[in-house]
Amino acid sequence: MAAFPARLFLAFRLALREMRGGLRGFYIFLACIALGTGAIAAVNSVSSAITQSIAAQGTTLLGGDLRFELNNREANAEERAFLDGLGTVAVSTGLRSMARLPDGADQALVEIKAVDALYPLYGTFKATPDQPLPQALARQGDAFGMVAAPLLLDRLDLKTGDRLLIGNTALIVKGSIETEPDSVSEGFGFAPKIIVSREALQASGLIDTGSLVEHAYKVRLKQGAPTPAAVEEQAKRDFPDAGWSIRTSERAAPNLTENIRRFSQFLTLVGLTALIVGGVGVANAVRAFLDSKRGVIATLKCLGAPSAVVVMVYLFQILLVCIIGIAAGLVIGALAPWIAGYYLAQYLPIPADFTLYPRSLALATLFGLLTTFAFAAMPLGNARQVPATALFRDQGFDRLKLPAWPYVAAAALAIAALAGLAIFTAYDRRLAMIFLVAMAGSFVVLRLVALGVAALARRSPRLSSPALRLAVGNIHRPGALTPAVILSLGLGLTLLVTLSLIDGNLRRSLTGTLSERAPNFFFIDIQRDQLDPFRALLARESPGGTVTEVPMLRGRILAFNGQDVTKMQVPPEGRWVLRGDRGLTYATELPRNSTVTQGQWWPEDYKGEPLVSFSSQEAEQLGLKLGDTVTVNILGRNITAKIANFRKLDWQSLSINFVMVFSPNTFAGAPHGWIATLTDHGASAADEARIMRSVTQAFPTITSVRVKDALDTVNELVGQLAVAIRAAAAIALISSVLVLAGALAAGNRARTHDAVVLKTLGATRAMLIRAFTYEYLLLGLATALFALLAGSVAGWYVVSQVMKLPSSFLPIVALSTLVIALVMTIGIGLAGTWRVLGQKAAPVLREL
């Protein structure tokens, strides 16, 4: 046993001595590891920065220690007494409405936030020009003060002192919103925000029976009060029918946190793709390096060095280089949150100061080490098999087979550990498993594609052109570049094609297909006494339009079959149904855009127990079946209904759709408003502007939403997300380029021998350049065709089967993929081959 430490120390010394010559041969290795590790470290560090910042600033982001939210009603006397007993309570009210200029020249959809004098309980609100918020919102004669988002001021060309109308009251612009401490916890809005006093909102007449209004009660706990978690439990116990949504400062923005974790996992998996693709580059770089050291390996064996010592010498060198690459990647990851803070601080709670996130950096380090070991084990096993006779005759790795089984087993264990780490650390482990299976399948398929291309080349007819004949022969000869090129570029290009097709189809649906099928307008908060004059106005302004109207209430799902939904294990795709309040309706007849898939629709004169029709897709995700019961809270009252049937909905039509439709007797006597759509595909932009202006002026309390504007907002958001996704895909593509360069470097010795022999036999440099160009052109075309096929199938599946949107092939993606593949293979191939063509013949011929 004493001999092992001595051998280990000797191997370490030899490794350090040999590395005195620098890192030549390891640059691609370094770049692959640094790039993949850096991507994973950066994504996870930024995610940790945001989530930890949300947790650390919970009270500020939430606006209190606890937040109680009620929809469509205010707290009753008993509930308000309970809240007041906890400490200081600040009340705010939120809703959407139309803001219009006094002369009726223009209007815009706005998010209204009405606050009281105690706002904010935590944090600091700041406006430009700087002034106390109560002073800015104070009443001035017949109008009230307001502060607005800069976007609204720009859109309506407003400045300080100008007037704006909402509902039945006038507002005076007192400034623009610069810092709103609790904006993150209130979620994403489709319209710019204005902040007014609660007195101003009451005077506007916008709050009426059935209005879609959110009342938030933010509590600063008094000294000696129970913990927020204890208060939450007490509120649920003492007021089981209140129907309020309760959040504590520990969960200030749960939706944002969950979305960031999801998106971070997606980007982490893309980064892992880059690292695994880079692992192929690691294997090529290690193989090329060890191949260049075959004389040294043979010399060590001639001097009596055991094979184990030889392996340890180069294992130490590989690990040292790996550590350098990981360190470079960790620097990128450590700087990422600091850099992101300058760009995301206005949107997300991310610290602008420099902070390290050890868990994220440690995770990236583990991924980097496991990837290196997984892809270096096999070449190290080949190095062990280099015989001492290689010192006297050229005998490299090209003639060696698989290494001994311990090295194959070590590589398999490292890959299994890499997969286990990816699954264990994933937010959605099912998605991580699917990704890993797809990655393994991609390696197998790409290997089969390479074998197929080589087989086709082998069976090609004899060509008259010597250069082309040589290129085809190079594709199928032993030690050909075919597997390395197709594997390296195939993964990166397939990922790029998939993401490009998803992005392109999503944008096309938002701006084309969906907008063509969708209604022109949604109208919200229509009161019963407004229905007839509202219909008459639309008939006059849009004679060719179709108006659809349905009653609408808001309710929160509390239980399925009596089981609290907060204690149920729900798959991620179905959680949105249980998150917050849902729009609810009742109907006598089956809605026009629905089809019953199971069960029966109730009769028109049905008077029995409450029944509900549930969307079939969402019901399947939630594990519901016919006869199950659903308990919802509406206006502080719990209602339990039995599922009578399931419906298939056409969500892509963007028409009025509800997850749940109840039998009419369920909500007998419940106050509610109406929602309507106007569909007039012949209306121009000017017609739509006129219709919106007429509705806003005649019914200032009705909210008009132009669907195209909403789609434009979503499209802009998708574009911003696409930037991050494309950046991650670009990293994977860069890794592919590095792998390709490494593959060329690994084959340079064989290429040099071929070039020297051919030139000795009379081949000119021009002919060899043509031959290599043809070879890289054919390989690039084959890789591009595979990437187009595989990426198109993957993109179609995500768009049509997951997103349930129409999918189409985009020719520009095909053309760009083809160009990228050809430029990379030909350009990088010739760049690496140029030095080979300049080698002198004599030194090479002496080794043959």
Side-chain angles (χ1 to χ4, degrees):
M1 293 297 292
F4 180 75
R7 289 183 176 183
L8 199 65
F9 181 69
L10 175 62
F12 187 68
R13 286 180 58 196
L14 291 173
L16 292 179
R17 285 185 179 180
E18 196 165 347
M19 290 188 71
R20 290 175 183 174
L23 299 176
R24 184 177 180 183
F26 280 115
Y27 296 122
I28 291 176
F29 181 128
L30 279 171
C32 288
I33 293 297
L35 195 63
T37 303
I40 294 174
V43 168
N44 284 278
S45 291
V46 172
S47 173
S48 297
I50 297 172
T51 53
Q52 290 181 26
S53 182
I54 291 174
Q57 304 177 48
T59 54
T60 300
L61 298 177
L62 188 66
D65 297 305
L66 292 105
R67 181 180 190 271
F68 294 79
E69 181 183 305
L70 288 167
N71 286 280
N72 306 331
R73 74 176 184 91
E74 296 192 60
N76 59 36
E78 187 179 0
E79 293 164 346
R80 185 59 197 262
F82 168 75
L83 297 176
D84 289 336
L86 300 174
T88 306
V89 181
V91 184
S92 62
T93 303
L95 73 160
R96 295 185 183 92
S97 187
M98 301 302 296
R100 61 195 190 280
L101 297 178
D103 61 0
D106 204 353
Q107 61 279 316
L109 179 68
V110 294
E111 301 267 354
I112 301 174
K113 179 177 180 178
V115 300
D116 60 13
L118 295 175
Y119 175 84
L121 292 178
Y122 290 97
T124 303
F125 179 89
K126 187 175 181 181
T128 303
D130 194 12
Q131 56 194 306
L133 186 59
Q135 176 183 323
L137 305 185
R139 184 166 192 163
Q140 296 182 2
D142 63 339
F144 294 86
M146 77 157 190
V147 290
L151 177 62
L152 179 66
L153 302 182
D154 292 340
R155 184 175 295 175
L156 296 180
D157 194 22
L158 296 171
K159 58 184 181 300
T160 302
D162 288 348
R163 290 201 168 205
L164 193 66
L165 302 179
I166 60 165
N168 300 318
T169 194
L171 302 174
I172 301 175
V173 178
K174 303 295 289 186
S176 61
I177 301 171
E178 183 175 332
T179 304
E180 184 187 358
D182 56 346
S183 61
V184 170
S185 65
E186 294 178 351
F188 171 76
F190 283 96
K193 181 177 290 184
I194 65 172
I195 297 180
V196 300
S197 66
R198 298 193 78 225
E199 183 184 3
L201 183 59
Q202 289 293 338
S204 69
L206 293 174
I207 300 180
D208 204 342
T209 302
S211 297
L212 302 181
V213 184
E214 296 176 351
H215 299 281
Y217 298 82
K218 300 170 184 178
V219 182
R220 183 203 288 266
L221 294 175
K222 63 185 178 182
Q223 192 73 24
T227 63
V231 172
E232 181 179 9
E233 289 299 321
Q234 181 184 354
K236 290 179 179 179
R237 184 176 61 253
D238 294 350
F239 301 93
D241 296 335
W244 47 25
S245 170
I246 307 173
R247 262 190 275 164
T248 65
S249 55
E250 288 82 7
R251 298 182 295 108
N255 294 346
L256 175 62
T257 301
E258 181 177 348
N259 288 333
I260 286 177
R261 286 174 178 167
R262 278 186 173 185
F263 192 58
S264 297
Q265 178 184 349
F266 173 75
L267 292 182
T268 298
L269 292 178
V270 176
L272 185 57
T273 302
L275 191 58
I276 293 176
V277 171
V280 180
V282 168
N284 289 336
V286 171
R287 179 177 175 276
F289 172 74
L290 294 175
D291 200 15
S292 69
K293 295 292 183 180
R294 63 195 182 282
V296 178
I297 295 172
T299 300
L300 289 173
K301 289 192 172 183
C302 287
L303 294 175
S307 297
V309 171
V310 173
V311 170
M312 284 190 290
V313 168
Y314 292 104
L315 176 61
F316 280 132
Q317 290 189 49
I318 290 167
L319 289 177
L320 288 172
V321 175
C322 170
I323 290 171
I324 296 172
I326 289 175
L330 295 183
V331 170
I332 298 172
L335 292 175
W338 180 63
I339 296 171
Y342 287 98
Y343 296 98
L344 300 178
Q346 57 180 324
Y347 307 108
L348 297 171
I350 182 170
D353 56 332
F354 182 77
T355 306
L356 291 177
Y357 298 91
R359 185 182 181 279
S360 300
L361 300 181
L363 180 64
T365 300
L366 276 175
F367 274 123
L369 286 171
L370 287 173
T371 301
T372 299
F373 193 74
F375 286 91
M378 303 274 277
L380 281 171
N382 283 333
R384 181 189 179 100
Q385 296 180 19
V386 172
T389 55
L391 180 63
F392 309 105
R393 177 173 291 277
D394 181 38
Q395 188 174 346
F397 291 175
D398 291 343
R399 302 172 189 173
L400 298 177
K401 300 179 181 179
L402 282 176
W405 71 265
Y407 294 91
V408 177
L413 285 174
I415 292 173
L418 190 64
L421 182 63
I423 294 171
F424 179 75
T425 58
Y427 176 72
D428 185 343
R429 294 181 178 177
R430 175 175 166 272
L431 178 62
M433 292 178 66
I434 293 174
F435 163 80
L436 292 171
V437 170
M439 182 62 67
S442 298
F443 271 84
V444 173
V445 170
L446 285 168
R447 182 63 180 172
L448 293 176
V449 169
L451 292 174
V453 170
L456 287 175
R458 192 178 297 112
R459 288 168 175 75
S460 66
R462 182 176 179 83
L463 303 168
S464 58
S465 169
L468 189 56
R469 189 164 60 248
L470 180 59
V472 173
N474 282 342
I475 290 175
H476 66 80
R477 69 175 176 81
L481 290 175
T482 304
V485 172
I486 291 179
L487 180 60
S488 59
L489 276 184
L491 282 174
L493 287 175
T494 300
L495 179 62
L496 184 64
V497 170
T498 302
L499 295 177
S500 297
L501 284 174
I502 293 172
D503 179 45
N505 276 287
L506 188 55
R507 287 172 178 270
R508 174 175 288 190
S509 294
L510 290 174
T511 59
T513 308
L514 286 182
S515 60
E516 291 172 0
R517 298 175 58 196
N520 300 69
F521 289 99
F522 272 83
F523 300 101
I524 305 170
D525 286 341
I526 307 170
Q527 301 304 311
R528 184 178 292 275
D529 60 354
Q530 295 175 323
L531 278 174
D532 290 336
F534 175 75
R535 293 176 188 140
L537 185 146
L538 290 185
R540 187 168 60 251
E541 296 293 334
S542 178
T546 302
V547 179
T548 303
E549 60 209 27
V550 296
M552 181 174 176
L553 303 90
R554 299 287 294 182
R556 179 185 302 276
I557 299 177
L558 298 182
F560 291 128
N561 297 318
Q563 183 181 0
D564 188 348
V565 295
T566 61
K567 298 177 181 178
M568 295 175 59
Q569 293 294 326
V570 179
E573 58 270 19
R575 290 176 189 166
W576 70 271
V577 179
L578 309 178
R579 190 181 298 130
D581 280 44
R582 297 259 65 78
L584 309 174
T585 191
Y586 60 86
T588 302
E589 298 179 351
L590 178 69
R592 286 184 298 177
N593 56 339
S594 302
T595 304
V596 173
T597 58
Q598 292 184 56
Q600 299 292 327
W601 193 260
W602 44 80
E604 292 187 12
D605 58 350
Y606 179 76
K607 302 296 183 183
E609 66 174 316
L611 298 178
V612 63
S613 173
F614 216 97
S615 169
S616 57
Q617 180 180 346
E618 283 67 32
E620 181 180 355
Q621 294 166 350
L622 295 170
L624 300 176
K625 61 184 183 300
L626 291 178
D628 286 348
T629 61
V630 180
T631 302
V632 296
N633 184 279
I634 301 173
L635 298 175
R637 178 186 170 195
N638 288 351
I639 297 175
T640 299
K642 185 173 72 173
I643 298 178
N645 59 74
F646 294 124
R647 291 168 296 118
K648 181 180 179 180
L649 302 182
D650 182 13
W651 291 107
Q652 286 72 45
S653 67
L654 291 187
S655 55
I656 300 177
N657 282 308
F658 292 89
V659 173
M660 294 178 287
V661 177
F662 289 81
S663 56
N665 61 316
T666 305
F667 303 128
H672 61 271
W674 293 70
I675 183 173
T677 61
L678 170 65
T679 305
D680 185 356
H681 295 311
S684 64
D687 293 333
E688 291 183 342
R690 174 178 48 78
I691 293 170
M692 178 180 283
R693 185 165 53 250
S694 299
V695 172
T696 303
Q697 291 176 353
F699 303 97
T701 60
I702 293 178
T703 301
S704 305
V705 180
R706 186 168 176 255
V707 173
K708 186 178 184 302
D709 293 336
L711 290 177
D712 288 343
T713 301
V714 175
N715 193 30
E716 182 180 353
L717 179 61
V718 169
Q720 293 172 353
L721 295 177
V723 171
I725 294 172
R726 287 177 178 175
I731 292 174
L733 194 58
I734 293 171
S735 294
S736 297
V737 173
L738 293 172
V739 172
L740 178 59
L744 291 171
N748 268 351
R749 185 176 61 83
R751 292 273 157 159
T752 300
H753 291 172
D754 293 346
V756 167
V757 170
L758 290 170
K759 287 168 71 177
T760 303
L761 295 175
T764 64
R765 174 175 291 202
M767 193 273 281
L768 291 177
I769 289 176
R770 286 200 307 275
F772 289 137
T773 301
Y774 291 150
E775 178 186 356
Y776 301 140
L777 176 65
L778 293 172
L779 289 178
L781 283 172
T783 306
L785 290 175
F786 168 78
L788 278 174
L789 178 61
S792 297
V793 171
W796 167 83
Y797 179 81
V798 171
V799 173
S800 64
Q801 303 302 309
V802 177
M803 296 183 175
K804 304 297 182 183
L805 294 173
S807 177
S808 59
F809 182 73
L810 306 177
I812 190 66
V813 174
L815 182 61
S816 60
T817 303
L818 183 64
V819 171
I820 291 173
L822 295 181
V823 169
M824 285 185 176
T825 49
I826 296 175
I828 298 172
L830 290 180
T833 306
W834 192 264
R835 184 171 58 86
V836 170
L837 296 177
Q839 292 287 332
K840 294 183 178 180
V844 176
L845 292 174
R846 280 195 214 101
E847 296 181 2
L848 295 178

